[in-house]
Amino acid sequence: MKKRQFTIKMKIITGFVSVIFMILVISVLAYFSMKGVITYQNDMIHKSVLANNIVRLVGQVPDAESKYILDQSPENKQVIDDMFIAIDENLAQIEAMITAESTIDSFDSASLMLESYSENNDKMFSYSNSSDMVTQQKLMKRYAGLVQ
């Protein structure tokens, strides 16, 4: 058997092609790794925006309740109901994005707190006496502080 002898030119070309191939493989791996990181960061940013919307809405509810206590019109009640609908929509969007078990547990805790907040809000509407409403509204302000 005759061994094939590579010329210097062939050795240089083979080395150059192998280096280019390795750079290509590393570049493709880096691209897909960065794409995964960017997707994860986009999800985190979206969840943070939704959570901040919830905090903002929870902070606005006590003021809307004060307006309702002073003027118990259906429009003022609808404003509060719309806030709670928006809170529920934001919660549903966050829940759809959650995958990790530890995050699910934290989400469930926050969700239960917001559910209790909503129930206390409904309780305020059940009162006919303004002083009872004010007492319940003070409690709602404390809940809002806990959520924030």
Side-chain angles (χ1 to χ4, degrees):
M1 273 185 116
K2 190 175 176 184
K3 267 191 166 181
R4 186 166 183 192
Q5 296 290 326
F6 285 111
T7 63
I8 293 177
K9 180 180 176 181
M10 281 301 286
K11 289 179 182 178
I12 291 173
I13 291 173
T14 304
F16 183 71
V17 168
S18 63
V19 168
I20 294 296
F21 180 74
M22 285 188 282
I23 290 173
L24 178 69
V25 169
I26 291 170
S27 297
V28 168
L29 291 174
Y31 170 77
F32 285 110
S33 295
M34 288 304 294
K35 187 176 178 183
V37 168
I38 289 171
T39 301
Y40 178 76
Q41 286 179 340
N42 284 340
D43 287 346
M44 291 296 293
I45 290 169
H46 188 65
K47 287 179 208 174
S48 295
V49 168
L50 292 171
N52 286 337
N53 285 341
I54 291 171
V55 169
R56 179 183 52 81
L57 288 166
V58 166
Q60 291 174 350
V61 168
D63 293 334
E65 289 172 338
S66 295
K67 288 179 185 175
Y68 177 77
I69 292 170
L70 295 174
D71 177 19
Q72 297 181 14
S73 67
E75 294 84 19
N76 285 339
K77 184 177 184 317
Q78 187 60 45
V79 168
I80 297 169
D81 290 341
D82 290 344
M83 287 180 184
F84 278 98
I85 289 169
I87 288 170
D88 289 340
E89 288 171 355
N90 285 322
L91 277 174
Q93 288 181 31
I94 292 173
E95 185 176 23
M97 299 172 73
I98 293 175
T99 56
E101 189 67 34
S102 61
T103 309
I104 291 172
D105 292 340
S106 298
F107 174 80
D108 288 342
S109 298
S111 182
L112 287 173
M113 187 183 309
L114 288 169
E115 185 178 323
S116 176
Y117 187 65
S118 178
E119 289 170 359
N120 279 299
N121 181 64
D122 293 339
K123 189 175 180 182
M124 186 194 79
F125 290 126
S126 69
Y127 294 130
S128 58
N129 184 349
S130 292
S131 66
D132 291 336
M133 287 180 153
V134 169
T135 303
Q136 186 66 25
Q137 197 249 353
K138 286 180 183 178
L139 178 65
M140 294 296 292
K141 280 185 180 180
R142 282 192 229 139
Y143 267 113
L146 287 174
V147 172
Q148 293 175 344

